[in-house]
Amino acid sequence: MKKPEKITSRTADFAKWYVDVITQADLMNYGPIKGTIYFKPLGYKIWENIVKIVNAYFVKQKIENVYFPLLIPQDFIEKEKKHIEGFAPELLTITKVGDKNLVENIYIRPTSELLFADYFKAEIAKNNILPIKLNQWSQVLRWEKTTNPFLRNTEFLWQEGHTIHASKVEANQFAKKIARFYKYFLENYLAIPVISGQKTEREKFAGAVNTYTVEAMMQNFRALQSATAHFLGQNFAKNFEIFYKNKENKSQIPFQTSWGLSTRLIGAIVMVHSDDNGLIFPPKIAPIQVDILEFFSKKNQEVKIFAKRIAKILKNAKIAYKIDDTDQQIGYKINNSEVHGAPIRIEIGPNEVKNNQICLVRRDNHQKFFFNIDLLKEKCRKILEQIQADLFKKAKIRLLENTVFVNSINEFEQAIKNNKFVIAPFSESPEREQEIQEKTGATARCILPKNSFFALPQAGNSIFSGEKTNKFVLFAKSY
Amino acid sequence: MKKPEKITSRTADFAKWYVDVITQADLMNYGPIKGTIYFKPLGYKIWENIVKIVNAYFVKQKIENVYFPLLIPQDFIEKEKKHIEGFAPELLTITKVGDKNLVENIYIRPTSELLFADYFKAEIAKNNILPIKLNQWSQVLRWEKTTNPFLRNTEFLWQEGHTIHASKVEANQFAKKIARFYKYFLENYLAIPVISGQKTEREKFAGAVNTYTVEAMMQNFRALQSATAHFLGQNFAKNFEIFYKNKENKSQIPFQTSWGLSTRLIGAIVMVHSDDNGLIFPPKIAPIQVDILEFFSKKNQEVKIFAKRIAKILKNAKIAYKIDDTDQQIGYKINNSEVHGAPIRIEIGPNEVKNNQICLVRRDNHQKFFFNIDLLKEKCRKILEQIQADLFKKAKIRLLENTVFVNSINEFEQAIKNNKFVIAPFSESPEREQEIQEKTGATARCILPKNSFFALPQAGNSIFSGEKTNKFVLFAKSY
């Protein structure tokens, strides 16, 4: 029999705990190039589930899927300096094909604004129809100095949406709408509460006018930027000379948005919900919702038959299950199920068979339930719903308990030192933000909207300058 | 009003006709780098439909989806010389990141055998469980000299499946099984009849022991290799030193397969079924199965209401439809529908509304049907089935009529000159195949299996050497 590996505890070493969980839960193996990973079946299945839900929303919004090239030519790169400056050090550059040198370098997309701008230009010149709302499911590559599986990979999977509109207001509203959807998706499907708001000038996307972000709190109280939507204004349209004709047949420059979420969310799911025994999946996104564990099935065929009965009921209820019919020890099977994160496990031994009884255990709080098999479908559904709600509640309480409001530099620095999310009245310069980062390690995560769930005052005094301001900014150490 | 562009006729210039169709039908735009394309919404939707059907089969076969890196390191490349020789001139090579030179070159995957071998090695060392059956939906890049949208792109989308088995027979059988599925998929969903068989030594995949292929005939009688499955033997396993322990705890080298189909199939659909008016989609793969054309709807609100009634019926019947409610001329609308390939269009004018009548036109043969709206669901379904069957039949007759059996060099050369698929008794060397290609432009497409639908003799005399052989090989000019 294989011995289970030991998972480092979160308190001992959070970073090591994270890597232990994602490797032992078979989400990924390290790839051969720095910062790349092999998405294993379970890890990739999480992404497939995310894609399914998010894509259904896009279809409803009449956003159409496309696929655009991985390769960006030299002359595109030169068109949008500001945008590219942000990515330049990370650009993977192709200079050769076979043993022949290319005349011009080719770049691998770090994001596809340049390609969408090129496409929009041609389409609008041909059809003059706006808005155009597109999305692609693909990967992008950025050569990062520090990498972390899922959270910051050289190559990651994502969706990138790109739209172009005649109206500035319509475009900006559209970016906001997508950001609202991201918040909804994280909270309602991934059970991850977020704080959403606009990025500061310093933190916004290279080339954007406004960036709207959703920020989540990991169990070590670090922030994770979990999805963003950008209002790009006319920045790309101007550089690519995109024009449409308005009703008066006058040439006008349209407005763009772009927005994305990525496989980084897999890391967020792990870091928000899991524990020292391994992964805990929110039921709505779990690749396997119920593990069925056969005990002593080698000696007792009835156990196998009972497992199949259970499987049939779950299948009809559209609950994703997996049967562990291996010859491993009971302890190993339970441990293995806990490591891999199925929200529920059902344990079947000869006793259960004899009594037509289900022994169900919640992964998150180890609560045990015993009931007749006739109640299985109903109970399972209810308990899965309960787990989903409880995981969200737990994460939300953590977020609230560890977010503090401060009014002075001292309080600010102390709170950051204590690993809090810190909200402060703040109307300072990007340079000040940089100072703060250098001194405390914290960055501005977002400007809080007026209607945020924190009962903020109408105005305050910016903590450095003392200037009166109605802007409140969330700061935190982040991934 | 926009004027429709003219599509070149197939007889005038087949290559130009193809490009006219795929661009005017909005399947793609050319990308900024040679051989790359922008998959437009309609073009990408074909791929999404293919993915859905093929993936469902994989799930049934317990093949698990993964995602592996785009990047291959230098030392992997050096491990499998024979395999890489086949791809070396096409390898896109990354030598720089930002403005820094890399110490070792990085290559973009032209296919992922090397990465899967690396992954299998680690997994089997850890778990010693076989077989492992994986698949990924991704893209690969090959810098081709001559490119052709969908048929031969620098970057194309595909699925690549990779399995590893303890048993040689099991692995080889598995590759054959996948090839059978590919044939089934092409014939039953894409309405593309194929000839399947094993590749000759010269034509097989670089690094494979056997390659199984499905070959289709385009309307210009050229062959298109439409999907392949490879039995890799122990070639990769040996080079990567992959071992498993058998029941006697002895180290053994396992056997691998790999297999794929790609967005090349989009080109095949166009080249097999479409006509001089534009695209014709087989109903089972059509992004839009029914175009609903409103005539005079601006003056007549009843037309709009009738269109919505029709849409509702089609929606309930799960038939994909699109309403053309623009102000374009009737002729333009009909032309536009024909260009974009919906198998059926429904034309609604005031007369139809008055009589509760449907006027339905088949895209493939322009046949018109008139019937009461109450019959819509049933009629639509039946006609879609009929179109699917008719498209397949038409293509199959074309394939049969243009495939000839020859017994001599003269007949062979004449038949190739006449653009036929040519079957000949053939047991010659790879060098002879090369000679044939240089002289006639034809290549060996596959060795016909015994049970092929051509009533072949038991044996014949190889057309060059005269040697007696029971091997019959299909030759054709190909894409």
Side-chain angles (χ1 to χ4, degrees):
Chain A
M1 298 292 168
K2 288 192 304 178
K3 271 198 191 154
E5 300 169 77
K6 188 97 186 87
I7 293 174
T8 308
S9 77
R10 286 162 291 177
T11 48
D13 185 341
F14 192 82
K16 193 159 186 312
W17 164 80
Y18 173 67
V19 171
D20 283 355
V21 170
I22 59 178
T23 49
Q24 290 183 40
D26 292 303
L27 299 191
M28 65 111 220
N29 285 353
Y30 286 104
I33 305 251
K34 182 183 91 93
T36 66
I37 58 173
Y38 294 111
F39 285 79
K40 296 179 75 167
L42 192 69
Y44 190 70
K45 187 73 190 163
I46 306 170
W47 184 238
E48 287 188 318
N49 286 350
I50 290 174
V51 170
K52 207 171 160 188
I53 298 159
V54 173
N55 198 61
Y57 171 79
F58 292 164
V59 169
K60 252 193 194 162
Q61 300 302 318
K62 301 201 185 305
I63 296 161
E64 296 185 293
N65 282 337
V66 294
Y67 182 76
F68 283 6
L70 179 77
L71 305 177
I72 302 179
Q74 180 76 39
D75 61 319
F76 279 25
I77 296 286
E78 281 156 14
K79 269 189 189 158
E80 229 297 8
K81 290 280 157 61
K82 213 175 185 177
H83 168 64
I84 280 303
E85 261 173 33
F87 289 106
E90 302 170 4
L91 278 181
L92 285 93
T93 308
I94 298 163
T95 63
K96 285 175 73 174
V97 169
D99 52 6
K100 295 201 183 81
N101 289 316
L102 291 170
V103 179
E104 284 211 316
N105 289 348
I106 295 174
Y107 301 89
I108 299 184
R109 63 178 168 222
T111 178
S112 303
E113 275 72 13
L114 301 171
L115 294 157
F116 277 84
D118 178 57
Y119 177 84
F120 285 143
K121 181 186 170 79
E123 282 301 296
I124 295 168
K126 196 170 137 200
N127 301 320
N128 202 49
I129 297 172
L130 288 175
I132 306 175
K133 297 189 272 185
L134 303 178
N135 174 65
Q136 78 177 354
W137 294 97
S138 64
Q139 90 277 57
V140 286
L141 281 84
R142 300 171 187 176
W143 194 265
E144 306 269 6
K145 277 196 196 101
T146 317
T147 61
N148 202 342
F150 299 120
L151 299 182
R152 196 172 290 276
N153 278 125
T154 302
E155 177 184 14
F156 57 91
L157 304 177
W158 76 345
Q159 61 71 212
E160 52 177 321
H162 296 262
T163 66
I164 188 159
H165 308 254
S167 145
K168 181 177 172 175
V169 172
E170 181 185 302
N172 194 25
Q173 288 302 325
F174 192 84
K176 282 185 174 176
K177 182 181 179 176
I178 294 289
R180 279 198 304 277
F181 165 71
Y182 286 153
K183 178 177 160 72
Y184 172 83
F185 172 69
L186 264 86
E187 298 196 330
N188 286 278
Y189 287 90
L190 310 187
I192 298 177
V194 297
I195 298 178
S196 59
Q198 200 173 318
K199 285 281 183 192
T200 60
E201 278 303 302
R202 179 171 186 252
E203 295 288 338
K204 73 182 187 186
F205 177 70
V209 174
N210 298 325
T211 289
Y212 305 101
T213 182
V214 297
E215 303 279 329
M217 179 187 275
M218 305 298 103
Q219 284 186 69
N220 62 348
F221 314 112
R222 285 234 227 157
L224 185 78
Q225 176 182 305
S226 302
T228 49
H230 316 293
F231 169 56
L232 302 173
Q234 297 172 314
N235 290 344
F236 290 88
K238 277 181 182 161
N239 286 313
F240 274 78
E241 298 174 335
I242 307 178
F243 297 103
Y244 74 97
K245 302 227 163 175
N246 67 8
K247 279 177 191 161
E248 290 81 40
N249 210 31
K250 272 192 187 162
S251 275
Q252 303 282 332
I253 300 174
F255 299 84
Q256 288 177 258
T257 76
S258 69
W259 25 280
L261 58 73
S262 77
T263 41
R264 159 171 269 205
L265 289 178
I266 298 172
I269 293 167
V270 175
M271 281 202 172
V272 170
H273 299 303
S274 301
D275 66 17
D276 292 350
N277 293 346
L279 230 158
I280 300 177
F281 278 116
K284 282 193 192 173
I285 208 75
I288 305 293
Q289 295 169 304
V290 178
D291 271 336
I292 303 171
L293 310 187
E294 295 180 359
F295 295 161
F296 314 110
S297 58
K298 221 178 172 184
K299 293 177 202 150
N300 192 327
Q301 275 299 311
E302 299 294 315
V303 168
K304 273 199 189 310
I305 294 165
F306 199 67
K308 291 227 172 74
R309 257 179 83 191
I310 292 172
K312 203 176 165 190
I313 294 167
L314 295 180
K315 196 177 177 185
N316 286 335
K318 291 189 175 152
I319 292 169
Y321 65 89
K322 191 179 172 182
I323 300 179
D324 182 348
D325 58 0
T326 62
D327 300 335
Q328 302 284 358
Q329 306 281 8
I330 290 182
Y332 180 89
K333 286 191 177 197
I334 291 174
N335 181 74
N336 188 54
S337 171
E338 298 226 316
V339 168
H340 289 86
I344 284 177
R345 70 171 182 269
I346 291 174
E347 304 177 352
I348 315 173
N351 263 338
E352 278 69 36
V353 177
K354 206 174 60 192
N355 303 322
N356 260 322
Q357 180 183 267
I358 299 293
C359 167
L360 182 155
V361 187
R362 274 177 66 157
R363 168 66 184 87
D364 61 326
N365 63 9
H366 310 288
Q367 200 182 343
K368 273 198 178 186
F369 299 82
F370 297 92
F371 50 84
N372 189 280
I373 190 170
D374 294 341
L375 300 173
L376 179 60
K377 182 173 148 183
E378 191 194 341
K379 282 275 189 188
C380 241
R381 280 201 178 146
K382 286 225 169 113
I383 293 169
L384 287 171
E385 280 171 15
Q386 191 64 48
I387 294 171
Q388 183 80 27
D390 286 354
L391 288 177
F392 180 71
K393 187 174 156 189
K394 195 173 168 187
K396 182 111 184 183
I397 290 171
R398 182 189 307 129
L399 174 62
L400 290 171
E401 284 185 345
N402 293 285
T403 303
V404 298
F405 179 72
V406 303
N407 261 312
S408 72
I409 303 178
N410 276 352
E411 285 178 315
F412 180 93
E413 288 178 359
Q414 194 54 50
I416 292 293
K417 204 173 278 173
N418 292 338
N419 289 319
K420 300 297 179 192
F421 270 31
V422 182
I423 297 168
F426 190 86
S427 61
E428 321 261 345
S429 66
E431 292 73 29
R432 181 76 77 187
E433 280 180 50
Q434 190 168 339
E435 272 173 45
I436 292 171
Q437 183 175 8
E438 281 160 12
K439 190 161 183 200
T440 69
T443 48
R445 306 314 306 158
C446 64
I447 304 162
L448 292 175
K450 290 284 149 271
N451 58 357
S452 73
F453 60 83
F454 302 99
L456 298 171
Q458 278 298 311
N461 297 95
S462 191
I463 51 168
F464 290 84
S465 65
E467 185 188 47
K468 186 145 188 172
T469 180
N470 60 3
K471 256 168 85 178
F472 293 90
V473 175
L474 172 71
F475 283 85
K477 289 181 205 156
S478 79
Y479 278 99
Chain B
M1 298 294 167
K2 287 192 303 177
K3 271 199 191 152
E5 300 169 76
K6 187 97 186 87
I7 294 175
T8 307
S9 77
R10 284 162 293 177
T11 48
D13 185 341
F14 192 81
K16 193 160 186 312
W17 164 80
Y18 173 67
V19 172
D20 283 355
V21 170
I22 58 178
T23 49
Q24 290 183 40
D26 292 304
L27 299 191
M28 64 110 220
N29 285 353
Y30 286 104
I33 305 252
K34 183 183 90 92
T36 66
I37 58 174
Y38 294 111
F39 285 78
K40 296 179 74 167
L42 192 69
Y44 190 70
K45 187 73 191 164
I46 307 170
W47 184 239
E48 286 188 319
N49 286 350
I50 290 174
V51 170
K52 207 172 158 187
I53 298 160
V54 173
N55 198 62
Y57 171 79
F58 292 164
V59 169
K60 251 192 195 164
Q61 300 302 317
K62 301 202 185 303
I63 296 161
E64 296 184 293
N65 282 337
V66 294
Y67 182 76
F68 283 5
L70 179 77
L71 305 177
I72 302 179
Q74 180 75 40
D75 62 318
F76 279 25
I77 296 286
E78 282 156 13
K79 270 189 189 158
E80 229 297 8
K81 290 280 157 61
K82 213 174 185 177
H83 169 64
I84 280 304
E85 261 172 34
F87 289 107
E90 303 170 4
L91 279 181
L92 285 93
T93 308
I94 299 163
T95 62
K96 285 175 73 173
V97 169
D99 53 5
K100 295 200 183 81
N101 289 317
L102 291 170
V103 179
E104 285 212 316
N105 289 348
I106 295 174
Y107 301 89
I108 300 185
R109 62 177 169 223
T111 177
S112 304
E113 275 72 12
L114 301 171
L115 294 156
F116 277 85
D118 178 57
Y119 177 83
F120 285 144
K121 182 186 169 79
E123 282 302 296
I124 295 168
K126 197 170 136 199
N127 300 320
N128 201 48
I129 297 172
L130 288 175
I132 306 175
K133 297 188 273 185
L134 303 178
N135 174 65
Q136 77 176 354
W137 294 97
S138 64
Q139 90 276 58
V140 286
L141 281 85
R142 300 170 188 177
W143 195 265
E144 306 269 7
K145 277 195 196 102
T146 317
T147 61
N148 202 344
F150 299 121
L151 299 182
R152 197 172 288 277
N153 278 125
T154 302
E155 176 184 15
F156 57 91
L157 304 178
W158 77 346
Q159 61 70 212
E160 53 177 319
H162 297 262
T163 66
I164 188 159
H165 309 254
S167 146
K168 181 177 173 176
V169 172
E170 181 185 302
N172 194 25
Q173 288 301 325
F174 192 84
K176 282 185 174 177
K177 182 181 180 177
I178 294 288
R180 279 198 303 278
F181 166 72
Y182 286 154
K183 178 178 160 72
Y184 172 83
F185 172 69
L186 263 86
E187 298 196 331
N188 286 278
Y189 287 90
L190 310 187
I192 298 177
V194 296
I195 298 178
S196 59
Q198 200 174 318
K199 285 282 183 192
T200 60
E201 278 303 302
R202 179 171 187 251
E203 295 288 338
K204 73 182 188 185
F205 176 70
V209 174
N210 298 325
T211 289
Y212 306 100
T213 182
V214 297
E215 302 280 328
M217 179 187 275
M218 305 297 103
Q219 285 185 69
N220 62 348
F221 314 113
R222 286 234 227 156
L224 185 78
Q225 176 181 306
S226 302
T228 49
H230 316 293
F231 169 56
L232 302 174
Q234 297 173 313
N235 289 344
F236 290 88
K238 277 182 183 162
N239 286 312
F240 274 78
E241 298 173 334
I242 307 178
F243 297 104
Y244 74 97
K245 302 229 163 174
N246 67 7
K247 279 177 191 162
E248 290 80 41
N249 210 31
K250 272 192 185 160
S251 275
Q252 303 283 332
I253 299 173
F255 299 84
Q256 288 177 259
T257 77
S258 69
W259 25 280
L261 58 73
S262 77
T263 41
R264 159 171 269 206
L265 289 178
I266 298 172
I269 293 167
V270 175
M271 281 202 172
V272 170
H273 299 303
S274 301
D275 66 17
D276 291 350
N277 293 346
L279 230 159
I280 300 178
F281 278 116
K284 282 193 192 172
I285 208 76
I288 306 293
Q289 295 169 303
V290 177
D291 271 336
I292 303 171
L293 310 187
E294 295 180 359
F295 295 161
F296 313 111
S297 59
K298 221 178 173 183
K299 293 176 201 151
N300 192 329
Q301 274 299 310
E302 299 294 315
V303 168
K304 273 199 189 311
I305 293 165
F306 199 68
K308 290 227 172 74
R309 257 179 83 191
I310 292 171
K312 203 177 165 189
I313 294 167
L314 296 180
K315 196 178 176 183
N316 286 336
K318 291 189 175 153
I319 293 169
Y321 65 89
K322 191 179 172 183
I323 300 178
D324 182 349
D325 58 359
T326 62
D327 300 335
Q328 302 283 359
Q329 306 281 8
I330 290 182
Y332 180 89
K333 286 191 177 196
I334 291 175
N335 181 74
N336 188 53
S337 170
E338 298 226 316
V339 168
H340 288 86
I344 283 176
R345 69 171 182 270
I346 292 174
E347 304 177 352
I348 315 172
N351 264 338
E352 278 70 36
V353 177
K354 207 173 60 192
N355 304 322
N356 260 322
Q357 180 182 268
I358 299 294
C359 166
L360 182 155
V361 187
R362 273 176 67 157
R363 168 66 184 87
D364 61 326
N365 63 8
H366 309 288
Q367 199 181 345
K368 273 199 179 186
F369 299 82
F370 297 92
F371 50 84
N372 188 280
I373 190 170
D374 294 341
L375 300 173
L376 179 60
K377 182 174 148 181
E378 191 193 340
K379 283 274 189 188
C380 241
R381 280 201 178 147
K382 287 224 168 114
I383 293 169
L384 287 171
E385 280 171 15
Q386 191 63 50
I387 295 171
Q388 183 81 27
D390 287 354
L391 288 177
F392 180 71
K393 187 174 156 188
K394 196 173 167 186
K396 181 111 185 185
I397 290 172
R398 183 190 306 129
L399 174 62
L400 291 171
E401 284 185 345
N402 293 285
T403 302
V404 298
F405 178 72
V406 303
N407 261 313
S408 72
I409 302 178
N410 276 352
E411 285 178 313
F412 180 93
E413 288 178 0
Q414 194 54 49
I416 292 292
K417 204 173 277 173
N418 292 338
N419 289 319
K420 301 297 178 192
F421 270 31
V422 183
I423 297 169
F426 190 85
S427 61
E428 320 261 346
S429 65
E431 292 72 29
R432 182 76 77 187
E433 280 180 50
Q434 190 167 340
E435 272 172 44
I436 292 172
Q437 183 175 9
E438 281 159 12
K439 189 160 184 201
T440 68
T443 49
R445 306 315 306 156
C446 64
I447 303 162
L448 292 175
K450 290 285 149 270
N451 58 357
S452 73
F453 59 83
F454 301 99
L456 298 172
Q458 277 298 311
N461 297 95
S462 192
I463 52 169
F464 290 84
S465 66
E467 185 188 47
K468 187 144 188 174
T469 180
N470 60 3
K471 255 168 87 179
F472 293 90
V473 175
L474 172 71
F475 283 85
K477 289 181 204 156
S478 78
Y479 278 99

